[in-house]
Amino acid sequence: MAFNTTSGGRERIWTCLYEESDSSHDGKIAELSAGLGIHSVTAKLLYNRGFDNVESAQSFFCTDASCWHSPYLMRDMEKGVARILAAVERGECIAIYGDYDVDGVTSVSSLYTYLTAIGADVICYIPNRKEGYGMSRGAVERLATEGVRLIITVDTGITATDEIAFAAELGVDTVVTDHHECHGELPECCAVINPHRADCEYPFKELAGVGVIFKVICATELARTGESDRHAIPALAEQLLDFVAIGTVADVMPLLDENRFIVLRGLDMIENTERAGLSALLDAISGSGKVKTAGGGVQGTRPRRKVNTGLIGYGVAPRINAAGRISDAMRAVRLMLAESATEAERLAEELCAINAQRQVEENRIAEQAFAMIEADMESRAATTGKMTPPPVVVLADNGWAQGIIGIVSSRITEKYGVPSILISFDGAMTGDPHDEDVGKGSGRSVKGMNLVDALAHCEDVLVRFGGHELAAGLSVRRGDIDAFRKRICEYAQAILTPEMTAVRYEAECELASDEITMSVAEEIARLEPFGVANPTPSFMLCDATVHRIIPMGAGKHTKLMLWKDGILHQAVYFGMPTAKIPFGVGDPVDLLFQLNVNEYQGTRTVQLIIQDVREAVSYREECARHQARLEEILGGGSILEGEGIVPDRDDIAEVYKLLRQEVRMGAHSFSIKDLISKINGTSVGDVRIGYVKTKLILCILDELKICSVREPDDGIYIIDIDFNAPKTSIDSSELLQKLRAQTVRATK
C-alpha cells in the first residue's frame, strides 16, 4: 500500500511492507508465530526481513558459537596466516596499513592489539586525507626505509595493484585484507583476503573491513595454538568484538548473520567496557563521569547514555571520523589503544574538540551551499515559475575542506531530494585559480539513480571517479565543471521521476489499537540491534482521533493523545512545534510511528514516537465520495428527500452567522474540514450540516452576494462579508430553487 501527499514541494510517500489484504503470507506468519512462540506483529517483522520459515528465523536469533563461519572458508586465508606467522616468528617489522575512517581505525586497533599480544614487532600507518585514499608509493617507500618487511592492509588495498608491486620491488611483502568490491585484476601479493572475491566461497559477504580482519585474527590464532574453533574464537570475541562492532555499525553494514552477533555482543562489551579509551570517549559524549565541585573535589557522577547502535552511529563514530577528516586518524587509534586513564581522557577531549570543529566547518559549508542553491532556484524560477532545484546540484568552492564535503552533500540530497556533488579545490591550487586546477568532489544520490553510472556518462570531462550506487567520489578540472554540470543534469533529467525525489516512509505493517502494548514493544526489542537490513520498525495506526494536543519543550515538540477503538494512546512528535500542527482536536488522522517504552520515575509506559502524520485516508476517501456526489447534484442529478443535503433557511442562517463572527475576528481563510468542525462542533461522526450541504450553502451565499466566496485551492475557501449589504431573501436563490426541484420522494 502506498499513499502520497506533499510537504515543502516534495511528495511524501508511505509504503506498507505487509499488506493485510494479501492473504498469501498469512500461513507463513502463523507458522512463525506458533513455531517461535511470538506475537504475530513480531512474526510480520521477521517475514518482512526475509525470514519466512521457523529454521531461518531461529538462525536470526543465534547468539552462540554456532553463529560463526570458519575463517578458512575465505580464499587465501591459509597463505595470509602463514606469512603473518612467519613474520612474527622471524621478528620482522610488520606495518598495519589502514584507512582513515572508523572502519579503518578499528581495524588497525584490532590487529595491533592482537599482534602485539603474540609478540610481533608492529607499527601502524594511516594516511591523511591530503595523501588520498588507499596505499601510496610515498608511504610504501617510507615504510620500507623504516625496516618494514610485511604490510598488512586493513579496509583497503584491493585496488592498490601498482603500489603493492612497488612494495615488492623494495623487498616488502603484502597481505591484503579488504571488504570493498573487487574491480579488475587482483594485486599480486602473498594473499588477498576479501569475501567479495569472485572465487571466494565465504558464505557471508557483508563483513566490514574490521570484520574481515577479525576473521584473519581468528584464523591466525587457530593456526598458532592448534585450539578448536569453539575455544579460540569465543575467547578472541571477548577481547575484540567491541572494536569490531564499532567499525561494523559506522560502516553501515547490514546487521544480519555474523554482523548481528558481532554488534549484539559488541554493544554489551562497550556498555561495560574496561578499555580506558572507550570509557573516556563514552564519558565525554554523555557528559558523564565525575562531577567536580568549584574547589576541584568530586561531588558525584553522571550516568552514561545507553549504548546502542544510535550512540555508536551518532556519537562515537563521528568523533573517530572527525580525526581523519580534519586532523590525524592516528589520534583515534591512540585513543582506542590507550592504557592510561589520564591519556585517554586527554585524547577523548581532543577528539570531541576536533568533532566540534568539524561541525562548525560542516555548518559553514552547508550554509554557503544552501545559499547558492536557493539563489540558483530563484534564478530558475524567473523562467520556470517554480522554485525547484536542478536535477543534480553541482557546486564548487576553493576553500571547502575535502573531508567534510561528503557530509554536506548528504544533507543537500536529504533536504532537496536530488543528487548532489560538492567539489573542493582546497589544497589543489598553486597561485591564482586556473582551468587546469584539479578539484576533488564527493557526491550522494537518490535511490533509482546510480551515481557511478551517471559519472561514467560524463567520464570524458572527469579526471577520475569511483564509488557506489548512492555515494561516489571524483576528480575534475576547474575548466570542465560547467560541461560536467550540464552533462550530468541531462543524464539525471532522463532518469529521475517524482517518486525518486520524494520523501519516503516505510511501515512494516498496520497495527490494531489493541496491539500497541508493553508486551509487543518488549518482544520487538528482541530483534535489536537495529540498523541496515534490520531497521528500527515503523508502524501505521489508521483512523485515530486526536483527543488532545499538548505542547512540550516550550512548544518545540508536541504530545498527542489519540483515541482508537476505545483505547487512548500517547504519542510524541519531536521537532514538530505545536503551532505548526496541521490538524486539530477531533480530526481523524493516520500515523507513522515507532513503538517506544518510556521510563519515568520508575513507571514504564508505551508511547508512539511519531515520524509523520497525515489526514486519515478513510477521511480523504469519504471527502472524495462527497465531492463526487456534489458534482453530480450540481450537474442536475436527483436528490433523495431523506439524504438531508438540501439546506433550509435555518441551515443557511446558522452558517452565515458563524461566518460573520469569524470574519469580524479577522479570519478569512477556511478549510472545508475547519468549517464543518466549527459549524457542528466536531469534524467526525454524524454531523447535521455535512460536506455536501456546507459547500452548497457557500455556493448559495456567494450567488446572493451575501458573502464573497472564493476557492483558490481545492477545499480551501477565502470568505469576505459586506456587513452593510442590503437584506436578501434566501428563497430568491436560483441554486436553492433548483435543488428543491431536483429532490424526489424516496419510494418504498
Side-chain angles (χ1 to χ4, degrees), residues 56-125:
S56 66
Q58 285 174 332
S59 71
F60 175 84
F61 290 108
C62 174
T63 57
D64 58 32
S66 63
C67 300
W68 299 111
H69 306 300
S70 169
Y72 284 104
L73 292 174
M74 282 194 196
R75 178 69 67 175
D76 276 6
M77 186 64 81
E78 294 91 343
K79 295 178 182 178
V81 166
R83 183 63 186 90
I84 292 169
L85 287 177
V88 175
E89 290 166 8
R90 295 197 288 256
E92 294 177 335
C93 183
I94 302 171
I96 305 171
Y97 198 119
D99 188 17
Y100 38 62
D101 66 359
V102 181
D103 195 7
V105 166
T106 52
S107 296
V108 169
S109 302
S110 298
L111 185 55
Y112 183 87
T113 298
Y114 174 72
L115 289 178
T116 53
I118 65 172
D121 179 11
V122 192
I123 63 173
C124 304
Y125 187 85

Side-chain angles (χ1 to χ4, degrees), residues 656 659-661 663 668 706-708 719-724:
Y656 175 63
L659 293 176
R660 280 179 62 94
Q661 179 180 328
V663 171
H668 292 273
I706 296 174
C707 300
S708 168
I719 295 175
D720 289 298
I721 294 178
D722 181 357
F723 293 98
N724 297 315

Side-chain angles (χ1 to χ4, degrees), residues 629 633 638-646 688 692-693 743:
R629 180 64 176 134
I633 290 169
S638 297
I639 304 170
L640 293 177
E641 192 175 50
E643 280 187 88
I645 286 176
V646 179
R688 187 173 58 81
V692 176
K693 184 183 282 189
T743 303

Side-chain angles (χ1 to χ4, degrees), residues 402-686:
Q402 291 174 356
I404 295 177
I405 55 177
I407 310 174
V408 178
S409 179
S410 294
R411 289 175 60 176
I412 290 171
T413 295
E414 182 178 355
K415 180 175 181 177
Y416 295 99
V418 296
S420 64
I421 296 169
L422 269 62
I423 301 162
S424 171
F425 290 91
D426 182 36
M429 293 171 53
T430 54
D432 295 330
H434 191 278
D435 280 355
E436 293 302 308
D437 292 335
V438 176
K440 292 183 178 179
S442 186
R444 300 294 184 268
S445 191
V446 296
K447 191 171 183 179
M449 193 184 102
N450 188 306
L451 192 52
V452 173
D453 289 347
L455 295 176
H457 179 74
C458 312
E459 63 181 338
D460 59 316
V461 292
L462 297 175
V463 176
R464 65 177 64 90
F465 67 91
H468 306 284
E469 178 183 356
L470 298 179
L474 60 91
S475 296
V476 61
R477 293 181 180 84
R478 188 188 299 275
D480 290 329
I481 289 178
D482 288 341
F484 168 61
R485 181 184 290 111
K486 180 181 178 183
R487 186 84 58 82
I488 198 168
C489 282
E490 289 173 348
Y491 178 90
Q493 203 155 20
I495 297 289
L496 294 176
T497 64
E499 284 86 17
M500 292 181 195
T501 59
V503 180
R504 291 183 169 274
Y505 298 99
E506 202 166 68
E508 301 280 351
C509 60
E510 181 180 340
L511 291 188
S513 195
D514 60 4
E515 291 177 321
I516 301 174
T517 64
M518 181 66 71
S519 61
V520 169
E522 289 175 339
E523 192 172 274
I524 288 170
R526 289 181 58 197
L527 273 63
E528 293 180 353
F530 295 123
V532 176
N534 185 37
T536 303
S538 296
F539 302 98
M540 289 170 58
L541 179 67
C542 297
D543 294 318
T545 302
V546 178
H547 178 64
R548 289 184 66 195
I549 300 174
I550 306 165
M552 292 174 57
K556 295 178 181 178
H557 315 291
T558 302
K559 179 186 290 186
L560 300 176
M561 304 303 292
L562 303 154
W563 276 112
K564 174 72 188 290
D565 297 331
I567 300 174
L568 188 63
H569 301 288
Q570 176 177 291
V572 178
Y573 205 164
F574 290 112
M576 174 56 73
T578 307
K580 292 187 177 181
I581 290 288
F583 44 80
V585 171
D587 284 351
V589 294
D590 295 341
L591 274 79
L592 189 119
F593 66 94
Q594 294 175 346
L595 266 183
N596 174 261
V597 177
N598 182 44
E599 298 189 28
Y600 182 69
Q601 294 184 346
T603 302
R604 302 174 79 235
T605 56
V606 175
Q607 67 180 5
L608 286 59
I609 305 300
I610 298 174
Q611 297 168 282
D612 196 23
V613 184
R614 68 188 184 195
E615 239 177 13
V617 170
S618 59
Y619 178 78
R620 294 172 68 92
E621 290 173 345
E622 180 185 356
C623 288
R625 288 193 297 272
H626 288 320
Q627 183 64 30
R629 180 64 176 134
L630 174 67
E631 291 170 3
E632 182 183 7
I633 290 169
L634 293 175
S638 297
I639 304 170
L640 293 177
E641 192 175 50
E643 280 187 88
I645 286 176
V646 179
D648 58 24
R649 179 186 296 273
D650 290 341
D651 294 332
I652 297 170
E654 182 178 344
V655 172
Y656 175 63
K657 182 179 179 182
L658 172 74
L659 293 176
R660 280 179 62 94
Q661 179 180 328
E662 292 289 326
V663 171
R664 279 191 186 279
M665 294 174 65
H668 292 273
S669 176
F670 308 88
S671 69
I672 186 65
K673 183 175 67 175
D674 289 341
L675 281 175
I676 294 171
S677 177
K678 290 177 183 298
I679 293 166
N680 296 277
T682 179
S683 60
V684 293
D686 295 329

Side-chain angles (χ1 to χ4, degrees), residues 304-318:
R304 288 178 182 159
R305 289 164 54 187
K306 178 177 173 56
V307 175
N308 53 27
T309 53
L311 180 64
I312 302 302
Y314 298 102
V316 174

